Amino acid sequence: MEERFDLIIIGAGPGGYVCAIKAAKLGLKTAVVEESRAGGTCLNRGCIPAKAMLHASGLYREIRQAERFGVKAEGVSFDFEKILAYKEETTDQLVQGVEQLLKGGGVTCLAGRGRLLPGRQVEVEKDGEKQVYQAEQVVLAAGSRPVILPIPGMDLPGVLTSDELFALREVPESLVIIGGGVISVEFATIYSSLGCKVTILEAMPRLVPNMDKEISQNLKMILKKRGVDIHTGAAVRSVEEAAGGLVCRFEEKEKEQSVSGQYVLCAVGRRPASEGLFGEGAVPDMERGRVLVDDRFATSIPGVYAIGDMIPGAQLAHAASAQGMVLAELLAGQEPSVDLAVVPGCVYTEPEIASAGLDEETAKGEGIPVRTGKFIMSANGKSLISKEERGFIKVVVHEETEEILGVQMMCGRATDMIGEFVSAIENHLTASQVLRAMRPHPTYNEGVAEALEELKGGAIHVMPRKKR
């Protein structure tokens, strides 16, 4: 038996490493087990590399369109190897930073594959050698892996997950993406900007189906304008080999159709990475592959907890980090410093998309009386300067109290501005209270005040509605 710890965390992703650092700061003797690099999917194969490629590909597209700003740029091209090097350099820097923070914070880093054993023991296996550690408390934070659809042909060469797409060293000539969620539309944005012919096949009636309907409609129009072919209500039946690539056969409006591509990306969601995580007699209660927990993240096994993509709920890096922070505080006997009730959602397309709280359709479905204030961002000075496409900010408030219940944003810097509304919703602020803050000009943030003013009787920079 090896060293004992107050807390052992299996997984050093956004949930695990934040939980570990916070727990160590609060005086718990803490260890984190990681078989790969710190940072998990987010830093290594998800959020950070995707956003780096979005930035590079967006810059390339913007330079090609620079003449509309009076700037001539001739012979513009890109070096994909250098884009990948920039992506990897960014990732490496952040991963190394997290590893230094863990060590500097007094967290013991155990390299290897972690497995939960009975009695709050954790087995760590590396290069065929196994060591067992004892803990007072164990946290499962092993993250997730891409889901592979159970349809014929998904095991063919050229059918990729997001992990494998990141490993390509050249831009595909054509790419068929199965799925129309956040991962799908971000990759469609990247590769269409770099000249790849992209087709999206989404089974639901619209793109990003969990977001506001108006966002979905605008996003579809923008992507189609950029050359992305989009099929919604499309059920993929099979993937087959063909000359020069693959063919996806799908059904749309009761009609059999097909589309070919050099590669096929399966982007239909993620599942908990629970393979090999549980030893005999140490399997917690689960449902549909996710670990069931109570409101304090406790599993059915005493002293064992789970957070992040392992449990039901939003599979988002910032949600996992917030859960890790709260759990560390609870285990140290402190009151949580973060309210987990409102989880912002972000999509890093151009323009950016962000939302929090309830949308109008959901609120009405729950019987909540609401009003909305919407401002079209084409009347915003900063949006005009940067020539943003089809943007708006829509605020949802309670009809009687004017308490802010939700917001949907599609505009420049939406992902940076959404925090203002998360704070407002968490603190039960009203439209009038949020309007009290002066906003600088010219900024995208002025659109927030305009949407709120629209609720109060009419935005300043919107023509008044004609009275009937």
Side-chain angles (χ1 to χ4, degrees):
M1 187 68 67
E2 296 292 331
E3 190 175 1
R4 300 174 67 93
F5 293 91
D6 296 325
L7 179 63
I8 297 180
I9 301 164
I10 301 178
Y17 85 73
V18 169
C19 186
I21 292 171
K22 185 65 175 180
K25 287 180 180 292
L26 295 175
L28 300 180
K29 185 179 180 181
T30 304
V32 63
V33 183
E34 176 55 56
E35 64 176 324
S36 183
R37 303 201 305 174
T41 295
C42 176
L43 265 65
N44 293 283
R45 302 173 302 282
C47 317
I48 298 303
K51 278 51 176 181
M53 292 186 72
L54 278 163
H55 179 73
S57 61
L59 186 60
Y60 173 65
R61 186 178 67 249
E62 190 171 353
I63 292 172
R64 291 185 65 192
Q65 299 173 348
E67 194 165 347
R68 60 184 176 160
F69 300 107
V71 177
K72 290 189 176 181
E74 298 177 357
V76 179
S77 63
F78 65 86
D79 184 329
F80 194 61
E81 277 294 330
K82 288 187 177 179
I83 290 177
L84 295 178
Y86 150 71
K87 175 202 73 173
E88 288 155 11
E89 179 186 1
T90 304
T91 297
D92 289 345
Q93 187 173 349
L94 286 168
V95 169
Q96 291 165 13
V98 169
E99 290 172 346
Q100 291 170 4
L101 287 170
L102 286 165
K103 292 176 183 177
V107 177
T108 299
C109 297
L110 304 174
R113 185 173 180 80
R115 175 179 296 178
L116 178 67
L117 302 179
R120 298 188 302 281
Q121 295 180 359
V122 175
E123 175 189 273
V124 180
E125 181 178 0
K126 184 180 182 183
D127 300 329
E129 295 186 5
K130 299 178 181 178
Q131 295 186 7
V132 177
Y133 299 85
Q134 181 69 53
E136 291 299 316
Q137 318 281 352
V138 177
V139 175
L140 307 174
S144 61
R145 304 188 192 285
V147 169
I148 304 296
L149 286 174
I151 59 176
M154 294 302 286
D155 58 346
L156 289 171
V159 178
L160 312 174
T161 65
S162 56
D163 294 353
E164 294 154 344
L165 183 61
F166 276 129
L168 292 183
R169 307 308 296 184
E170 61 182 8
V171 178
E173 291 181 8
S174 54
L175 176 67
V176 179
I177 303 177
I178 302 175
V182 173
I183 295 172
S184 167
V185 297
E186 290 188 352
F187 276 124
T189 299
I190 292 168
Y191 285 97
S192 64
S193 296
L194 297 176
C196 175
K197 173 57 182 173
V198 178
T199 302
I200 295 175
L201 305 177
E202 167 57 46
M204 298 294 284
R206 53 191 174 92
L207 296 179
V208 288
N210 294 328
M211 305 195 90
D212 182 82
K213 185 182 294 185
E214 196 168 353
I215 284 175
S216 300
Q217 293 168 342
N218 283 359
L219 180 60
K220 183 176 182 178
M221 284 186 265
I222 289 169
L223 289 176
K224 288 182 76 171
K225 184 179 176 182
R226 294 177 186 170
V228 179
D229 190 16
I230 299 170
H231 297 266
T232 53
V236 178
R237 301 304 185 195
S238 67
V239 180
E240 301 169 9
E241 288 183 301
L246 299 162
V247 172
C248 277
R249 303 199 181 278
F250 63 98
E251 184 178 315
E252 183 181 13
K253 295 179 181 178
E254 300 182 351
K255 183 180 178 181
E256 297 292 333
Q257 299 191 54
S258 65
V259 61
S260 60
Q262 184 181 358
Y263 293 99
V264 172
L265 170 66
C266 186
V268 294
R270 301 183 66 85
R271 59 181 178 81
S274 55
E275 299 89 348
L277 183 60
F278 308 116
E280 188 175 349
V283 182
D285 290 345
M286 302 178 73
E287 186 176 274
R288 297 183 179 179
R290 296 201 187 187
V291 179
L292 296 177
V293 295
D294 64 14
D295 59 357
R296 296 173 68 86
F297 302 103
T299 72
S300 59
I301 301 175
V304 177
Y305 303 82
I307 58 173
D309 288 1
M310 298 294 300
I311 66 174
Q315 291 182 308
L316 298 168
H318 50 271
S321 294
Q323 291 168 2
M325 180 81 73
V326 167
L327 179 54
E329 290 166 338
L330 290 171
L331 295 178
Q334 294 193 359
E335 286 296 315
S337 61
V338 181
D339 189 333
L340 302 174
V342 182
V343 181
C346 298
V347 189
Y348 293 81
T349 48
E350 293 183 20
E352 292 183 343
I353 297 166
S355 65
L358 298 175
D359 61 25
E360 184 178 11
E361 188 176 5
T362 302
K364 288 181 177 178
E366 295 179 5
I368 301 171
V370 295
R371 288 188 292 118
T372 62
K374 186 171 74 173
F375 179 67
I376 304 300
M377 291 293 280
S378 58
N380 172 263
K382 190 70 176 287
S383 295
L384 281 170
I385 291 167
S386 57
K387 296 192 179 296
E388 296 283 338
E389 296 182 88
R390 301 187 70 88
F392 68 93
I393 295 175
K394 181 161 56 176
V395 184
V396 181
V397 302
H398 194 283
E399 188 172 35
E400 298 166 2
T401 66
E402 285 194 353
E403 181 182 331
I404 295 175
L405 302 179
V407 64
Q408 294 78 48
M409 312 171 78
M410 189 173 189
C411 60
R413 304 296 183 190
T415 63
D416 295 319
M417 295 195 291
I418 193 65
E420 175 179 4
F421 279 103
V422 175
S423 296
I425 297 167
E426 288 281 10
N427 290 288
H428 305 284
L429 299 184
T430 66
S432 296
Q433 289 171 319
V434 177
L435 264 174
R436 288 181 64 83
M438 183 189 299
R439 289 168 173 82
H441 173 76
T443 61
Y444 297 116
N445 193 245
E446 287 179 284
V448 170
E450 297 280 6
L452 292 168
E453 285 282 5
E454 186 68 11
L455 274 166
K456 302 291 291 180
I460 300 300
H461 294 93
V462 175
M463 290 294 291
R465 300 188 182 115
K466 292 181 179 179
K467 296 181 180 180
R468 292 183 179 179

